[in-house]
Amino acid sequence: MADMSTAKPLLQVTDLRLTLPTARGWAQALRGVSLQLERGQTVGLIGESGCGKSLTALALMGLLPERAQVSGSILFQGQELVDMPEAQLCPLRGARMAMIFQEPMTALNPLHPIWKQIAEPLRLHQHMGVAEAKARALQLLDRVQLPRARERLDAYPHELSGGQRQRVMISMALACSPDLLIADEPTTALDVTVQKEVLALIKQLVNEDGMGLLLISHDLGLMQDQVDRVMVMYGGSVVESAATADLFAHRAHPYTRGLFAARPRLGLARGTRLNTIAGSVPELMDLPTGCAFADRCAWAVDDCRRTPPQAETVPPSSPTDQAHVVCCPRWRLS
Ligand SMILES: Nc1ncnc2c1ncn2[C@@H]1O[C@H](COP(=O)(O)OP(=O)(O)OP(=O)(O)O)[C@@H](O)[C@H]1O
Ligand SMILES: [Mg+2]
């Protein structure tokens, strides 16, 4: 039996930095992202469009653009993934770590029936024959509760609804029983009732299999019931992270407060204006050396723009074993 005291964490990311070529030159897209995830744990990554959520996911999967420069460390079950040769990474991807992509219509191949696409990782990683892989594809489609799965094995992606396509994507990701599942906005293309169903399904499957889940969303409300811990991202950095209940009880970072104030709530009178955060997410090339949020922050002083904010611990309001960390020197004042 494995000795749990020395067991390696499922995923340990330390000071991950990513530089990308853009039309205006090299841009720092990730500016020191750190996170830890254990098997059986669910972590949410939230933030506005363009803050670096998908790039974080793609960096973990080793699916970055060719000229991207990555530094820092991504330890997956103790193995360093940064600079790992593609030949070594390929057997991990799909088999031990899998991703549900933001847009199922672009991630699925329009020219192949769905069973073939689910069977592909099984054929590649588990060397299954065609008949066995097809039978397993059916089991997987049943598991993600695709209605009339047997009849739909030979369907093409365009013959399915958005919610059904997303279920196919989930079954592909789960095909080889990965230890780590990354779900990048798995429900953005879906309407609200289907969103809830699909998220509940992912949560149920993650619980059953005991894998680690990194769930990416810009929707705070969706996160609340789905994850143990939330990380708030802005301008390529994690600005606050805490156990979900702690974050919902006490938001320390001015950006996190802005996100909460901006979230639509049920029961608002029709026509009520939503509070939104003034300004917009800066272009990567225009990020200041200091805090990326400074230009939109009501509490910022000149030094905020110059000096990168250090992580500070927010004292817990009730006993907890999870740290609540905020990257803002002025969180006590805000
Ligand atoms: N291949 C690329 N080359 C250059 N810049 C990129 C590339 N991919 C993304 N970016 C830029 O990096 C930033 C972060 O992008 P990312 O896709 O991670 O955002 P996101 O948080 O996932 O947003 P969304 O909620 O819209 O999906 C954006 O400013 C984006 O324009
Ligand atoms: Mg994205």
Side-chain angles (χ1 to χ4, degrees), residues 20-22 27 29-30 47-56 58 65 102 184-185 216-218 233 281-284:
L20 286 174
T22 69
L30 298 180
E48 283 167 289
S49 184
C51 68
K53 304 181 297 295
S54 293
L55 285 177
T56 302
L58 294 172
Q102 195 160 353
D184 187 0
E185 306 262 11
I216 297 177
S217 176
H218 59 267
M233 204 169 179
V281 178
E283 290 277 318
L284 296 181

Side-chain angles (χ1 to χ4, degrees), residues 58-122:
L58 294 172
L60 298 180
M61 294 291 290
L63 293 173
L64 290 168
E66 211 160 275
R67 290 170 63 216
Q69 293 176 357
V70 185
S71 72
S73 166
I74 303 172
L75 285 177
F76 177 65
Q77 294 172 330
Q79 272 186 296
E80 181 57 70
L81 302 190
V82 170
D83 294 332
M84 183 182 267
E86 179 59 25
Q88 247 176 295
L89 200 52
C90 192
L92 297 183
R93 206 189 286 134
R96 283 165 56 201
M97 52 200 294
M99 180 158 165
I100 303 169
F101 290 89
Q102 195 160 353
E103 189 25 80
M105 210 44 196
T106 47
L108 291 171
N109 186 331
L111 302 177
H112 291 298
I114 58 171
W115 79 263
K116 258 198 177 156
Q117 305 190 47
I118 302 166
E120 193 178 283
L122 296 166

Side-chain angles (χ1 to χ4, degrees), residues 19-328:
T19 314
L20 286 174
T22 69
R24 291 170 58 199
W26 289 91
Q28 266 237 307
L30 298 180
R31 312 204 301 169
V33 173
S34 298
L35 69 96
Q36 185 165 333
L37 183 60
E38 302 291 349
R39 273 193 75 102
Q41 196 190 11
T42 55
V43 170
L45 192 56
I46 59 161
E48 283 167 289
S49 184
C51 68
K53 304 181 297 295
S54 293
L55 285 177
T56 302
L58 294 172
L60 298 180
M61 294 291 290
L63 293 173
L64 290 168
E66 211 160 275
R67 290 170 63 216
Q69 293 176 357
V70 185
S71 72
S73 166
I74 303 172
L75 285 177
F76 177 65
Q77 294 172 330
Q79 272 186 296
E80 181 57 70
L81 302 190
V82 170
D83 294 332
M84 183 182 267
E86 179 59 25
Q88 247 176 295
L89 200 52
C90 192
L92 297 183
R93 206 189 286 134
R96 283 165 56 201
M97 52 200 294
M99 180 158 165
I100 303 169
F101 290 89
Q102 195 160 353
E103 189 25 80
M105 210 44 196
T106 47
L108 291 171
N109 186 331
L111 302 177
H112 291 298
I114 58 171
W115 79 263
K116 258 198 177 156
Q117 305 190 47
I118 302 166
E120 193 178 283
L122 296 166
R123 310 252 301 136
L124 180 72
H125 298 296
Q126 298 185 356
H127 313 291
M128 278 188 191
V130 176
E132 192 188 357
K134 191 167 184 176
R136 180 84 182 110
L138 176 58
Q139 282 174 356
L140 284 159
L141 287 175
D142 277 332
R143 192 165 176 224
V144 297
Q145 296 150 28
L146 183 77
R148 297 188 288 116
R150 187 178 294 276
E151 294 162 46
R152 289 209 164 100
L153 278 175
D154 292 309
Y156 289 83
H158 73 267
E159 297 175 89
L160 303 178
S161 72
Q164 290 166 349
R165 280 198 285 269
Q166 203 50 280
R167 285 172 198 270
V168 173
M169 284 284 298
I170 297 169
S171 65
M172 278 168 72
L174 295 183
C176 298
S177 308
D179 298 306
L180 169 66
L181 179 66
I182 301 175
D184 187 0
E185 306 262 11
T187 60
T188 21
L190 309 175
D191 65 53
V192 179
T193 44
V194 186
Q195 275 187 356
K196 291 225 168 94
E197 272 172 39
V198 170
L199 281 178
L201 172 69
I202 293 176
K203 191 175 174 183
Q204 178 202 330
L205 298 169
V206 164
N207 280 343
E208 283 169 13
D209 289 4
M211 55 192 137
L213 172 72
L214 183 66
L215 176 66
I216 297 177
S217 176
H218 59 267
D219 189 333
L220 262 175
L222 278 184
M223 283 283 169
Q224 191 169 10
D225 307 324
Q226 306 297 335
V227 292
D228 306 326
R229 192 170 173 83
V230 177
M231 300 179 33
V232 181
M233 204 169 179
Y234 189 82
S237 309
V238 175
V239 297
E240 182 165 7
S241 72
T244 310
D246 289 345
L247 193 83
F248 275 78
H250 179 199
R251 283 80 69 183
H253 199 285
Y255 177 63
T256 316
R257 293 175 180 219
L259 273 184
F260 269 75
R263 89 197 132 121
R265 273 176 300 257
L266 288 176
L268 285 182
R270 257 182 101 174
T272 310
R273 269 186 74 110
L274 298 173
N275 294 318
T276 49
I277 311 170
S280 55
V281 178
E283 290 277 318
L284 296 181
M285 295 299 289
D286 304 327
L287 291 177
T289 26
C291 174
F293 188 58
D295 284 339
R296 299 171 75 188
C297 180
W299 290 274
V301 290
D302 284 348
D303 197 43
C304 294
R305 292 178 186 86
R306 288 191 293 263
T307 315
Q310 300 299 306
E312 297 188 14
T313 303
V314 180
S317 45
S318 56
T320 172
D321 53 357
Q322 283 205 48
H324 184 162
V325 179
V326 61
C327 287
C328 172

